[in-house]
Amino acid sequence: MVSAARYAFLVLSWLFLAGVLVQTFLAGLGLFGDPESFETHIGLGWLLHLVPILILIAAALARPGARTVWLAAALAVVVFITPLLPMLRDGLPAAAALHPVLALVTFALSYLVARAAWTAV
């Protein structure tokens, strides 16, 4: 059970990291190319929004250590908050501007989690 969970943790975490990179590309494409790419960015963002929950479950089952489980939990919290920030554009633009900042935090956390998953396997 632990071995299967570790492989699930590994695959989910590295796929999520790749998804974050694709998400960044789609945002850039929306800014500098086709504005309709933002629709794809939004759609993929909501899909990616759910993956850290699966990563957290896999991490808990994989038992890679408390630090890694806490990193996975932090990733889930940050990814939960990030897509909500653009909705604050009209009332709290400074808070909405944290969206790309949390995207950087998401990348860093997802890299740390993916490395920890690699080590666990």
Side-chain angles (χ1 to χ4, degrees), residues 22-47:
V22 170
Q23 188 68 335
T24 304
F25 172 75
L26 291 172
L29 195 58
L31 283 171
F32 302 113
D34 181 15
E36 290 185 18
S37 294
F38 270 120
E39 292 302 318
T40 309
H41 172 79
I42 291 167
L44 179 60
W46 285 112
L47 179 66

Side-chain angles (χ1 to χ4, degrees), residues 42-91:
I42 291 167
L44 179 60
W46 285 112
L47 179 66
L48 289 175
H49 190 208
L50 301 173
V51 176
I53 296 167
L54 299 174
I55 291 173
L56 179 57
I57 292 168
L61 293 174
R63 293 186 270 180
R67 179 181 180 272
T68 301
V69 174
W70 280 109
L71 283 172
L75 178 64
V77 169
V78 169
V79 171
F80 181 81
I81 294 168
T82 302
L84 303 176
L85 292 175
M87 295 177 203
L88 302 174
R89 178 180 302 157
D90 295 331

